[in-house]
């Protein structure tokens, strides 16, 4: 029996659920289903305790959740052996879930049932608690619905910070309801303290604050506005919020800036509040907050205000609304298409708080039905009650009480049954088996993969022999300090850490990996692309990929050897009969298996491409087919399979406008995402598309590899030859590029526009200015009205003129810039007269190029006129405003330059730092120290603290202030 039952006479004979029995039963159930190891969702939280996360303190460049309450509550687990910690943390979540359900049972019991006239007629007790032999039904109903909800269950059986958050949320609500009964303000003090603590861990409590404040004022009434009470509540809340300082204090002990860490913590909380799409909490509120708000309002009597018929209609309508709220609340627990469930698996957070509110509402409205339709009124009824209606509504409640949990259990049964299926652990074991036994460098773009590797070795009771590198952290100095601390043998590969810049250039990182490759084999845990792969290529070895250096000039990776093909084929044959065969049974119900399926599918697609390049077409088809079978969202595998079928018939032509490619682009949105979740392409058109995307990102060798592969498949393809030639020029291979342009000239009379530019740049790289100039002028003369060729001539003279000036050859530079200016006039005339040319080359853009030439020719007056014309055409052209301001400064026309800077701020407030920089320079030129300090201060606030611009401005400001 509860305290409230002893206080309320009407509840003395009530049959209610003992909360500790609820907790014990839940703990037994969750304990039986407890995850025995790690899950991908829970791994980051486990890694923060075990030490597998090299840097659990978030930084601006490596964001992770600030969770100080999680850190404090999991401190005792850090003393356990690391092999025990994952299971212990999973058990901790199960305990939190059990206590949450216990608090839910208690909170449902404490809900007041005096909100409507019908309830007040049937529950006249002092606290209006549901009494009688059926009082346990709402408690059980609410607990079962929440306990069996899929997302709640998943977080209950594996380590989860979110389960700790919902326990805090449940305790806050319980304190509020207990205060309503006891009027003991210790419950409110506890609520304020825990609310402060919880807010530091759960950003959602910031959003819920207005609702809790309204509820508190509603319960306490005018006594809420007592100054001493409000100060006491604020004090306890602030005491809880002091936990915000814990992570910054830890950061300061790790030589990070305390204030910056605190600012990042608060900024992240603000970001998380904004990142959640507004429709998600809005839709979730329809079946949670809205019904509870209706239940919280004490509705007045309506008799006497309307006619008898009107009274009856209003009364029945109001009762029907309360009855129908129950199925609305139940919808929250299901993932039906038209459910009000916000599809939390697609949201950044699981929203367990909304599920808890829905369960609370289920408890209230099921109690409402049992009271209003299951109890006799203690007052003389003004309206005749229909026994048939009462029985019908009660039958409706029985159906929902039995059917909803049964349906929920059925819909989530596959999730429950598939837990502990062992596929993730088996995937990890296979990954470890694919790596060499001796010390190896293992790289990954995803820190969770590295943490999973650590967990795999810990589970096997082995020491991880490998050097793990998180590629996303490698640009940063503090990561190298960690590496030297963890792997002392790396110290000889590095300069002293204090000599490192805060952010390393790409060349340094690539060189570091290259130096490691002299002593260790290097493996990647997944396919990737980027600056490392300009120097290295991937060689698939079962589930992992050896990183090897290019040795020749070709951008295509060498073909796998016969031994490598045999080894990989044997592995995939065995895996297809064992692991892959079971994936389809679990991938829909187990999120981890779904992720593992993607990894297997990507690896199979990658291997299929290697086999296809080696002309093993039937074997490649089998790999693509298996990749698509394992993950039917791998549309690149499907596309490669379609092209493979064409190749097997001796036809290497592109597939053309394939629906599969269109679906892949629509689903994954970008080339990097397609490669990450599908694997590489091996079809001529897709090779060209992906190669162009990689080239735009500066990944020239990788782009060239795709272009060369297209050329292998289509030996006479002119676009492929030109694409390869352009990348060869960009990578300094002028002779090979010129050979390809000669092939194109011999192959067709329709010479592509870009051929002349490629030739010119190739000749320039051989210091043959005359041949470069001749090629471009020849191309322009052959088609005088061709805007591309005209633009190339202008750009050629501009670039070479600037290069000559930079080398100190002023006469050459001035002469070439003069020619560039002449050609710019012709270009302007062309785009002014030719609409099709103007569509491709807007006049404002051409004028900007002319202004750049004039600025570098030191013709400031002409540059101002040209830039003014640009601004007349495009008043919001921020670049034109910036350049005109700089030229005006050089002319010492500071007032006009200031006007342009202010206009820049209005055009793009989010990039106001550019205007502040100009204004600081103006103030410096005017020797106005006060204004210079002012604008430098504004510039520093608007730029990232770790950027080079920020550091330069800070140094300038310190110099002014005499620091």
């Amino acid at each position: 029996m509860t305290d409230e039952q002893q206080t309320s006479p009407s509840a003395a004979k009530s049959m209610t659920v003992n909360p500790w029995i609820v907790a014990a039963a839940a703990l037994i159930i969750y304990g039986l289903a407890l995850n025995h190891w790690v899950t991908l969702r829970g791994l980051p939280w486990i890694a923060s305790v075990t030490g597998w996360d090299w840097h659990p303190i978030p930084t601006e460049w490596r964001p992770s959740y600030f969770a100080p309450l999680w850190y404090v509550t999991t401190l005792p687990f850090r003393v356990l052996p690391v092999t025990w910690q994952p299971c212990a943390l999973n058990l901790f979540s199960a305990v939190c879930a059990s206590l949450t359900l216990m608090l839910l049972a208690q909170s449902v019991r404490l809900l007041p049932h005096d909100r409507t006239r019908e309830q007040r007629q049937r529950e006249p007790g002092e606290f209006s608690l549901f009494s009688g032999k059926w009082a346990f039904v709402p408690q059980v109903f609410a607990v079962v619905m929440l306990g069996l909800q899929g997302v709640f269950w998943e977080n209950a059986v594996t380590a989860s910070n979110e389960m700790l958050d919902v326990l805090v949320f449940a305790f806050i609500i319980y304190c509020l309801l207990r205060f309503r009964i006891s009027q003991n303000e210790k419950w409110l003090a506890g609520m304020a303290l825990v609310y402060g603590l919880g807010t530091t861990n759960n950003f959602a409590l910031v959003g819920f604050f207005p609702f809790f404040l309204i509820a508190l004022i509603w319960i306490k009434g005018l006594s809420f506005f007592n100054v001493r009470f409000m100060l006491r509540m604020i004090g306890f809340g602030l005491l809880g919020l002091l936990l915000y300082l814990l992570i910054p204090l830890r950061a300061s002990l790790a030589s990070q800036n305390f204030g910056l860490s605190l600012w990042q913590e608060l900024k992240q909380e603000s970001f998380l509040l904004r990142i959640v799409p507004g429709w998600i909490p809005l839709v979730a509120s329809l079946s949670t907050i809205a019904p509870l708000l209706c239940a919280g309002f004490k509705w007045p009597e309506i008799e006497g205000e309307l006619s008898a018929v009107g009274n009856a209609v209003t009364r029945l309508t109001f009762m029907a609304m309360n009855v129908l709220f129950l199925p609305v609340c139940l919808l929250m627990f299901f993932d039906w298409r038209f459910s009000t469930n916000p599809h939390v698996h697609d949201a950044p957070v699981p929203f367990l708080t909304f599920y808890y509110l829905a369960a609370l509402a289920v408890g209230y409205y099921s109690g409402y039905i049992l009271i209003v339709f299951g109890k006799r009124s203690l007052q003389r009824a003004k309206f005749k009650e229909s026994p048939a209606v009462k029985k019908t509504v009660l039958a409706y409640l029985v159906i929902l009480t039995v059917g909803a949990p049964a349906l929920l259990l059925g819909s989530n049964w596959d999730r429950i049954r598939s837990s502990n299926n062992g596929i993730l652990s088996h995937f990890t074991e296979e990954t470890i088996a694919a790596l060499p036994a001796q010390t190896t460098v293992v790289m990954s773009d995803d820190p969770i993969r590295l943490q999973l590797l650590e967990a795999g070795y810990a589970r096997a009771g082995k020491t991880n022999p490998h050097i793990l590198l998180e590629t996303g952290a490698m640009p940063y100095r503090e990561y190298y300090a960690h590496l030297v601390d963890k792997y002392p043998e790396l110290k000889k590969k590095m300069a002293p850490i204090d000599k490192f810049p805060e952010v390393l250039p790409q060349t340094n990182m690539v060189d570091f990996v290259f130096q490691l490759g002299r002593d260790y084999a290097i493996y990647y845990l997944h396919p990737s692309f980027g600056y490392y792969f300009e120097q290295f290529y991937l060689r698939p070895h079962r589930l992992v990929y050896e990183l090897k250096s290019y040795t020749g000039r070709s951008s295509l990776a060498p073909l796998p050897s016969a031994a490598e093909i045999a080894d990989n084929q044997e592995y995939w044959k065995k895996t297809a009969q064992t692991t892959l065969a079971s994936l389809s049974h679990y991938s829909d119900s187990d999120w981890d298996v779904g992720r593992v399926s993607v990894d297997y599918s990507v690896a199979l697609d990658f291997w299929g491409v290697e086999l296809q390049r080696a002309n093993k077409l039937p074997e490649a088809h089998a790999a693509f087919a298996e990749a698509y079978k394992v993950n039917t969202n791998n549309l690149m595998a499907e596309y490669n399979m379609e092209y493979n079928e064409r190749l097997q018939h001796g036809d290497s032509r592109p597939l053309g406008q394939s629906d599969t490619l269109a679906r892949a682009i629509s689903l994954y949105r970008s080339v990097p995402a397609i490669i990450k979740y599908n694997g590489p392409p091996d079809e001529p058109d897709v090779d060209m598309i992906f190669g162009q995307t990689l080239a735009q990102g500066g990944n020239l060798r990788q782009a060239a590899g795709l272009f060369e592969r297209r050329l292998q498949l289509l030996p006479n393809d002119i676009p492929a030859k030109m694409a390869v030639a352009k990348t060869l020029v960009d990578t300094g291979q002028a002779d090979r590029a010129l050979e390809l342009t000669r092939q194109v000239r011999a192959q067709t009379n329709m010479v592509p526009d870009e051929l002349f530019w490629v030739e010119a740049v190739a000749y320039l790289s051989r210091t043959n200015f005359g041949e470069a100039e001749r090629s471009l002028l020849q191309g322009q003369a052959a088609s005088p009205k061709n805007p591309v060729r005209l633009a190339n001539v202008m750009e050629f003279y501009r670039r070479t003129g600037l290069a000559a000036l930079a080398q100190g050859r002023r006469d050459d530079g001035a002469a070439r810039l003069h020619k560039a200016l002449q050609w710019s006039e012709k270009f302007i005339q062309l785009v002014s007269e030719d609409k099709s040319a103007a569509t491709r080359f807007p006049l404002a853009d051409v004028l900007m190029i002319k202004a750049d030439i004039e600025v570098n020719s030191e013709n400031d007056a002409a540059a101002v006129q040209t830039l003014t014309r640009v601004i007349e055409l495009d008043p919001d052209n921020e670049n034109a405003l910036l350049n005109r301001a700089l030229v005006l400064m050089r002319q010492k026309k500071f007032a006009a330059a200031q006007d342009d800077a202010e206009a820049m701020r209005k055009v793009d407030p989010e990039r106001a730092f550019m205007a502040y920089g100009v204004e600081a320079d103006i103030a410096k030129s005017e020797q106005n120290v006060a204004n210079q300090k002012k604008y430098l201060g504004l510039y520093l606030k608007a730029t990232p603290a770790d950027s080079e611009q920020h550091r330069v401005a800070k140094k300038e400001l310190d110099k002014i202030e005499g620091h």
Side-chain angles (χ1 to χ4, degrees):
M1 305 294 281
T2 66
D3 293 340
E4 286 69 31
Q5 291 170 336
Q6 295 167 1
T7 310
S8 176
S10 64
K13 299 180 180 179
S14 298
M15 184 180 291
T16 60
V17 175
N18 186 304
W20 293 107
I21 292 179
V22 170
L27 188 58
I28 291 171
I29 293 171
Y30 292 138
L32 292 173
L34 195 70
N35 194 286
H36 300 157
W37 191 45
V38 301
T39 64
L40 293 176
R41 280 178 169 161
L43 187 54
W45 299 112
I46 293 174
S48 70
V49 175
T50 59
W52 299 331
D53 185 350
W54 77 271
H55 199 299
I57 301 172
T59 66
E60 191 165 356
W61 54 266
R62 189 179 186 266
S64 57
Y65 286 118
F66 287 84
L69 188 60
W70 166 266
Y71 175 77
V72 171
T73 54
T74 56
L75 277 175
F77 297 95
R78 298 168 195 265
V79 302
L80 296 173
V82 71
T83 53
W84 295 7
Q85 288 174 352
C87 197
L89 289 167
N90 294 342
L91 182 60
F92 174 66
S93 280
V95 171
C96 289
S98 302
L99 293 176
T100 299
L101 294 178
M102 180 187 80
L103 289 172
L104 174 63
Q106 280 289 76
S107 296
V108 169
R109 176 69 193 128
L110 297 178
L111 289 172
H113 284 281
D114 59 350
R115 308 292 93 180
T116 68
R117 177 178 180 273
E118 288 70 25
Q119 287 172 298
R120 291 190 289 271
Q121 287 178 340
R122 291 161 174 79
E123 285 291 355
E126 183 182 359
F127 303 115
S128 303
L129 304 182
F130 185 14
S131 61
K133 62 181 180 178
W134 300 111
F136 71 94
V137 172
Q139 293 177 283
V140 174
F141 194 9
V143 166
V144 170
M145 291 304 296
L146 182 61
L148 291 178
Q149 204 286 322
V151 178
F152 188 90
W153 182 284
E154 288 173 354
N155 282 272
V157 296
T158 190
S160 168
N161 177 62
E162 285 77 14
M163 191 53 72
L164 176 62
D165 288 340
V166 78
L167 174 60
V168 168
F169 188 76
F171 181 77
I172 292 167
I173 292 175
Y174 177 69
C175 287
L176 200 60
L177 293 171
R178 279 299 301 265
F179 170 75
R180 189 191 76 85
I181 299 293
S182 67
Q183 293 297 302
N184 188 334
E185 290 188 358
K186 71 177 183 181
W187 291 106
L188 297 185
M191 183 185 80
L193 176 63
V194 173
Y195 205 107
L197 293 170
T199 301
T200 67
N201 213 65
N202 180 12
F203 70 93
L205 287 180
V206 177
F208 279 114
F209 181 74
F211 297 102
F212 279 103
L213 182 62
I214 292 169
L216 180 57
I217 295 173
W218 190 261
I219 291 173
K220 195 160 177 58
L222 292 177
S223 63
F224 172 85
F225 298 99
N226 180 284
V227 174
R228 290 184 61 185
F229 169 75
M230 289 194 293
L231 288 175
R232 186 162 59 253
M233 292 293 287
I234 292 171
F236 277 108
L238 291 175
L239 184 62
L241 290 174
L242 287 177
L243 196 59
Y244 267 129
L245 305 180
L246 176 63
I247 300 298
L249 282 171
R250 287 188 66 202
S252 65
L253 294 175
S255 302
Q256 294 186 30
N257 184 279
F258 174 87
L260 181 59
S261 296
L262 179 60
W263 169 248
Q264 288 174 355
E265 187 173 13
L266 298 175
K267 187 169 70 171
Q268 186 195 61
E269 188 143 311
S270 172
F271 171 74
L272 289 172
L273 279 169
R274 289 181 284 108
I275 197 176
V276 178
W279 68 267
I280 292 180
L282 179 63
V283 172
S285 298
L286 296 178
S287 56
T288 55
I289 295 176
L292 287 174
L293 286 176
C294 186
F297 187 75
K298 195 168 185 177
W299 300 94
E301 304 285 345
I302 58 173
E303 278 75 4
E305 299 178 8
L306 303 170
S307 65
V309 174
N311 279 337
V313 171
T314 302
R315 174 174 170 270
L316 291 174
T317 302
F318 196 74
M319 291 172 65
M321 180 185 72
N322 281 273
V323 168
L324 293 175
F325 263 136
L326 180 57
V328 170
C329 298
L330 291 171
L331 281 175
M332 181 67 186
F333 297 93
F334 298 91
D335 290 331
W336 298 330
R337 181 179 176 185
F338 299 106
S339 167
T340 51
N341 184 309
H343 297 287
V344 292
H345 52 276
D346 293 329
V349 287
F351 277 111
L352 294 181
T353 48
F354 279 105
Y355 289 120
Y356 186 86
L357 290 175
L360 204 61
V362 165
Y364 172 80
Y365 284 103
S366 57
Y368 171 89
I369 292 172
L370 285 170
I371 291 171
V372 173
F373 296 92
K375 287 190 173 187
R376 184 178 297 179
S377 175
L378 301 178
Q379 301 177 16
R380 184 178 179 182
K382 296 184 179 181
F383 301 95
K384 186 177 180 180
E385 297 178 341
S386 169
V389 170
K390 293 175 68 174
K391 290 180 180 179
T392 301
V393 175
L394 289 173
Y396 152 89
L397 177 62
V398 171
I399 292 171
L400 290 181
T401 306
V402 176
L407 188 60
L408 186 61
L409 179 61
S411 62
N412 291 320
W413 179 247
D414 286 340
R415 284 190 191 182
I416 297 170
R417 183 175 56 86
S418 66
S419 61
N420 292 312
N421 53 59
I423 289 177
L424 181 62
S425 62
H426 184 65
F427 171 81
T428 308
E429 290 166 3
E430 287 189 320
T431 301
I432 291 173
L435 292 169
Q438 66 273 22
T439 300
T440 300
V441 174
V442 179
M443 303 176 68
S444 176
D445 304 338
D446 183 0
I448 290 181
R449 293 174 185 268
L450 298 175
Q451 294 163 10
L452 189 63
L453 204 63
E454 293 274 29
Y457 278 107
R459 181 175 187 174
K462 300 177 181 178
T463 301
N464 179 9
H466 305 301
I467 298 169
L468 306 185
L469 296 184
E470 181 186 322
T471 58
M474 287 182 67
Y476 300 95
R477 179 175 62 192
E478 59 187 303
Y479 184 59
Y480 291 89
H482 157 75
L483 290 177
V484 170
D485 183 59
K486 186 171 183 180
Y487 310 110
E489 63 269 29
L490 296 184
K491 193 169 185 178
K492 61 184 178 182
K493 299 288 183 182
M494 303 183 197
I497 298 298
D498 57 2
K499 303 292 185 184
F500 279 40
E502 288 190 26
V503 180
L504 276 70
Q506 293 179 3
T507 52
N508 287 28
M509 292 182 286
V510 174
D511 183 62
F512 174 64
V513 174
F514 184 79
Q515 294 300 324
L516 289 177
R518 293 178 180 273
D519 295 335
Y520 306 102
I522 303 177
Y523 279 78
Y524 237 89
L525 291 180
H526 51 84
S528 186
F529 61 93
Y531 42 82
Y532 294 113
F533 302 95
E534 294 296 290
Q535 177 71 41
F536 304 97
Y537 65 89
L538 292 173
R539 170 70 76 227
H541 179 61
R542 302 182 184 179
L543 274 179
V544 298
Y545 306 82
E546 188 173 6
L547 203 63
K548 301 181 78 70
S549 297
Y550 284 103
T551 54
R553 299 171 67 188
S554 174
S555 298
L556 276 172
L559 294 174
S561 67
E564 288 173 327
I565 291 175
D567 179 66
N568 280 284
Q569 283 292 88
E570 178 63 26
Y571 168 76
W572 285 115
K573 179 181 178 181
K574 178 182 177 182
T575 305
Q577 296 169 351
T578 54
T579 307
L580 301 185
S582 62
L583 290 180
S584 59
H585 298 301
Y586 299 110
S587 57
D588 291 336
S589 57
D590 189 304
W591 190 78
D592 283 358
V593 176
R595 285 285 302 273
V596 167
S597 297
V598 170
D599 283 349
Y600 277 115
S601 182
V602 169
L604 279 162
D605 177 74
F606 194 105
W607 179 237
V609 169
E610 293 292 291
L611 290 170
Q612 190 155 285
R613 288 177 57 234
N615 205 33
K616 303 282 187 181
L617 298 183
E619 295 88 343
H621 187 277
F624 294 139
E626 190 68 36
Y628 183 67
K629 178 182 175 183
V630 168
N631 174 27
T632 54
N633 284 326
N634 191 336
L635 301 178
M636 193 50 55
E638 183 182 9
Y639 197 69
N640 287 338
M641 184 168 55
E642 291 176 23
Y643 185 63
N644 178 276
E645 292 167 0
R646 176 171 284 193
L647 281 179
Q648 290 195 58
H649 288 89
D651 184 357
S652 63
R653 292 174 303 152
L655 290 173
Q657 296 298 319
S658 169
D659 176 62
T660 305
L661 180 60
R663 286 189 291 125
I665 293 172
S666 173
L667 179 62
Y668 294 102
R669 305 287 182 179
S670 68
V671 167
I674 292 175
I675 294 175
K676 180 177 180 180
Y677 295 110
N678 290 245
D682 195 44
E683 189 272 350
D685 280 354
V686 183
D687 286 342
M688 179 65 80
I689 294 169
F690 283 21
Q692 289 169 341
T693 302
L694 289 171
Q696 289 168 4
N699 301 299
L700 299 177
R701 190 165 198 167
Q702 295 157 82
L706 290 169
F707 297 147
E708 288 191 25
R709 175 57 178 161
R710 177 182 169 100
L711 201 53
Q712 279 186 348
L713 296 166
L714 306 172
N716 295 317
D717 185 64
I718 290 176
K721 288 182 178 180
M722 290 309 307
V724 173
K726 282 189 282 188
T727 53
L728 288 173
V729 165
D730 291 336
T731 54
Q733 301 180 62
D735 291 340
R736 292 182 65 202
L738 288 171
E739 174 59 32
L740 284 172
T741 60
R742 284 191 286 271
Q743 290 180 21
V744 172
R745 282 183 180 276
Q747 190 175 335
T748 179
N749 292 324
M750 303 293 292
V751 179
D753 293 335
E754 63 265 28
L755 181 141
F756 301 103
W757 179 260
V758 171
E759 281 186 338
V761 176
Y763 283 126
L764 277 179
S765 69
R766 299 167 65 181
T767 66
N768 193 337
F769 178 84
E771 280 297 309
E773 185 179 38
R774 181 199 60 76
S775 176
L776 283 171
L777 292 176
Q778 179 193 63
Q780 197 277 328
S783 182
K785 298 296 184 182
N786 186 318
V788 175
R789 298 187 185 186
L790 185 55
N792 284 343
V793 174
M794 177 189 67
E795 186 64 10
F796 170 77
Y797 284 121
R798 188 185 75 85
R799 289 193 188 185
T800 57
L802 293 176
L805 290 177
Q807 294 166 6
R809 296 183 286 114
R810 298 193 61 80
D811 291 342
D812 273 354
R816 292 174 188 178
L817 287 177
H818 180 68
K819 287 184 179 181
L821 198 58
Q822 291 177 327
W823 284 98
S824 72
E825 294 289 357
K826 294 179 182 180
F827 199 7
I828 290 168
Q829 183 180 352
L830 177 64
V831 298
S832 299
E833 296 172 353
D834 188 337
K835 290 184 178 178
S836 61
T839 301
R840 188 166 185 180
F841 298 96
L843 179 58
D845 293 348
V846 181
L847 287 168
M848 284 296 299
I849 297 171
K850 181 189 177 190
D852 178 72
I853 298 168
E854 290 167 338
V855 168
N856 286 286
S857 300
E858 298 183 357
N859 191 346
D860 289 349
V864 170
Q865 289 181 356
T866 305
L867 289 167
T868 300
R869 189 176 172 194
V870 174
I871 294 168
E872 288 172 352
L873 291 169
D874 181 10
D876 292 340
N877 192 316
E878 187 179 11
N879 197 23
L881 288 166
L882 173 62
N883 282 278
R884 190 171 72 173
L886 295 174
V887 176
L888 289 169
M889 279 176 54
R890 201 156 69 182
Q891 293 180 311
K892 299 190 183 302
K893 297 179 179 179
F894 300 123
Q898 181 73 32
D899 290 341
D900 279 349
E902 292 175 0
M904 287 168 59
R905 283 208 304 272
K906 293 177 182 177
V907 167
D908 190 357
E910 292 185 2
R911 284 161 45 97
F913 68 91
M914 297 175 65
Y916 294 140
V918 171
E919 289 169 310
D921 288 340
I922 293 171
K924 183 178 182 180
S925 299
E926 293 180 315
Q927 297 183 346
N928 187 333
V929 176
N931 273 355
Q932 188 182 4
K933 289 170 63 176
K934 169 187 171 183
Y935 290 119
L936 282 173
L938 292 170
Y939 183 86
L940 290 171
K941 288 181 180 178
T943 53
D946 62 347
S947 66
E948 182 62 26
Q949 300 97 320
H950 186 96
R951 285 191 285 271
V952 171
K954 183 70 167 63
K955 186 176 180 181
E956 181 73 14
L957 183 59
D958 289 345
K959 183 180 177 182
I960 295 170
E961 294 178 339
H963 292 174

